[in-house]
Amino acid sequence: MSRLLPVFFVFALLSCEPGRAGPAAVRIATFNVAMGLDEAGELATALAGNDNPRLRQVAEILQRVRPDVVLLNEFDYDPSVDAAGLLQKHYLDRSQDGLAPIAYPHYFRAAVNTGVDSGLDLDGDGATGGPGDAWGFGRFPGQYGMLVLSRFPIDAQRTRTFRNFRWAALPGALRPANPDGSPFYSDAVWQRLRLSSKSHWDVALDIAGATLHLLAHHPTPPVFDGPENRNGRRNFDEIRFWREYTNPHGDPEFIADDRGLTGGLDPNAAFIIAGDFNADPFDGDSAPGAIAQLLDAPWIDASCVPHSAGALAATETQGGVNARHRGDPAADTADFNDRYTGNLRLDYRLPAATLEVTGCGGFWPPPGAPGHAASGVSDHRLVWLDVQLLMT
């Protein structure tokens, strides 16, 4: 899944040229671009030209932050369209707001569970069919998909996906229960239900001889359910999947990928967990301790929190429920209704504790700063992390 490298871009790769030993700085980002559109084919139509205002703003943000690798959440998956190629040709290769173009010659995309009919009654309404009975909530297959763009080659043989991994296969899974204690899902449904609302991907990046595993996902929002808290519990366990997968002291043989290979990540592997986790450490509706499963893991370095001046300014000017939040408002990465939800920290890029982190941040410029208008293209903000990798 590669494209030819533009000539002007070759020079930017010299610091990571194969055969050059020593450290190299790599910027990893995640960005929920909110391009999970209402109808199948809408994104394809937008990508067919170069004048979609939202895609131009997404491209502008990438040209400003210039990540080497970026995970895009809520980017509809349509196997009939070369979405990465069209995004590159019509938006990223073109200057946005006077900025230099940016090239991603490699990409990874794969099917997701959203909108794929399960044939089961998953939402408990007594009928089958519709977005609530898809393996992951969606109005059509591929809605709210994912896309990884990369400067570096992707090792397809070492890349793993876990779209079909069953929720019940996770030891100690939080099976949703009705208020009377009875299971919300019947045994027949529970044994088939998939854990991932979209998918879990282990994307193996080949960075001049060093391998970095981008662990990408987008857990379901912990809302839009009932007293059984099926979405809150699923969100918790979708996050816990990566804890089990990366735990150097665990026994992850229960994990099977979509090719049937079992086991977790090599204990010595370099990794970054990235995505819109839909879980705030202090506020919001996620189950208690959901994101703490990763933030508190000793083999994960969660010390670099992506602050931004725009997040702080938004809380100060928007008020509402934000005034009752306990978390640091400068660390927020999502801007929601200030009467009911407020601004939250939902987007993360969490590296292995063995990696050297040199910086991080969130792209949320305050009013009047360059890029402020573009940052409102989504209800989420791009967050980035800089690490040093030792080239071999």
Side-chain angles (χ1 to χ4, degrees):
M1 296 182 179
S2 304
R3 293 181 298 272
L4 293 176
L5 206 62
V7 173
F8 76 86
F9 192 64
V10 171
F11 299 99
L13 287 176
L14 290 179
S15 63
C16 294
E17 188 177 57
R20 291 197 172 201
V26 179
R27 174 164 290 185
I28 308 292
T30 184
F31 187 15
N32 181 331
V33 295
M35 297 299 291
L37 304 177
D38 292 334
E39 300 289 340
E42 278 192 75
L43 183 56
T45 299
L47 289 166
N50 58 20
D51 57 355
N52 181 272
R54 294 184 62 192
L55 287 174
R56 292 187 64 179
Q57 289 178 312
V58 168
E60 177 187 336
I61 291 170
L62 294 179
Q63 289 175 2
R64 288 187 183 280
V65 180
R66 308 196 76 77
D68 298 300
V69 182
V70 59
L71 164 65
L72 302 182
N73 286 135
E74 293 196 17
F75 193 93
D76 290 346
Y77 172 73
D78 182 347
S80 69
V81 176
D82 179 13
L86 292 174
L87 179 65
Q88 183 69 59
K89 176 181 178 181
H90 292 156
Y91 294 95
L92 298 174
D93 278 348
R94 297 171 182 266
S95 171
Q96 309 295 340
D97 199 33
L99 300 164
I102 188 167
Y104 294 105
H106 310 282
Y107 70 94
F108 180 81
R109 64 172 183 164
V112 292
N113 283 326
T114 39
V116 178
D117 186 25
S118 69
L120 306 170
D121 179 14
L122 299 184
D123 56 13
D125 66 355
T128 59
D133 290 330
W135 291 121
F137 183 92
R139 298 173 183 84
F140 56 87
Q143 190 178 26
Y144 312 118
M146 303 192 295
L147 174 67
V148 173
L149 303 175
S150 175
R151 284 180 54 201
F152 309 110
I154 294 170
D155 188 336
Q157 292 303 311
R158 299 178 64 187
T159 292
R160 305 174 70 187
T161 65
F162 302 90
R163 183 169 69 102
N164 297 312
F165 180 80
R166 294 181 304 106
W167 191 355
L170 186 70
L174 297 182
R175 183 175 179 175
N178 295 311
D180 64 2
S182 62
F184 179 79
Y185 297 116
S186 68
D187 288 344
V189 170
W190 176 242
Q191 291 303 320
R192 294 180 59 190
L193 185 56
R194 299 174 184 178
L195 173 64
S196 296
S197 53
K198 287 83 178 176
S199 191
H200 286 70
W201 296 344
D202 174 352
V203 181
L205 302 164
D206 180 1
I207 305 179
T211 298
L212 178 65
H213 294 261
L214 180 68
L215 307 183
H217 73 158
H218 182 193
T220 191
V223 289
F224 311 121
D225 49 19
E228 82 290 342
N229 194 26
R230 66 185 188 277
N231 289 334
R233 292 183 173 214
R234 189 179 192 180
N235 172 274
F236 187 100
D237 279 349
E238 286 194 75
I239 293 171
R240 183 158 73 90
F241 178 88
W242 287 134
R243 181 183 174 94
E244 302 292 342
Y245 188 72
T246 60
N247 186 350
H249 310 296
D251 183 19
E253 288 306 307
F254 65 89
I255 296 176
D257 64 26
D258 294 333
R259 290 184 291 184
L261 302 177
T262 60
L265 194 62
D266 186 298
N268 298 313
F271 66 84
I272 295 177
I273 309 172
D276 169 8
F277 291 16
N278 275 312
D280 184 285
F282 303 101
D283 305 299
D285 297 302
S286 60
I291 190 58
Q293 298 177 100
L294 300 181
L295 297 184
D296 295 344
W299 59 90
I300 295 173
D301 180 2
S303 61
C304 199
V305 179
H307 294 99
S308 66
L312 181 60
T315 288
E316 292 174 344
T317 59
Q318 293 170 357
V321 71
N322 290 302
R324 302 194 297 273
H325 281 182
R326 297 174 295 147
D328 179 0
D332 289 336
T333 66
D335 187 356
F336 295 133
N337 184 295
D338 299 305
R339 181 177 178 183
Y340 301 106
T341 306
N343 304 338
L344 299 169
R345 181 187 177 195
L346 302 181
D347 305 271
Y348 301 83
R349 48 317 136 275
L350 302 174
T354 54
L355 287 175
E356 180 183 354
V357 176
T358 58
C360 67
F363 187 77
W364 196 338
H372 172 74
S375 69
V377 66
S378 170
D379 50 8
H380 291 256
R381 303 297 184 264
L382 178 148
V383 295
W384 53 267
L385 179 80
D386 289 342
V387 296
Q388 288 277 357
L389 293 180
L390 183 62
M391 301 297 100
T392 58

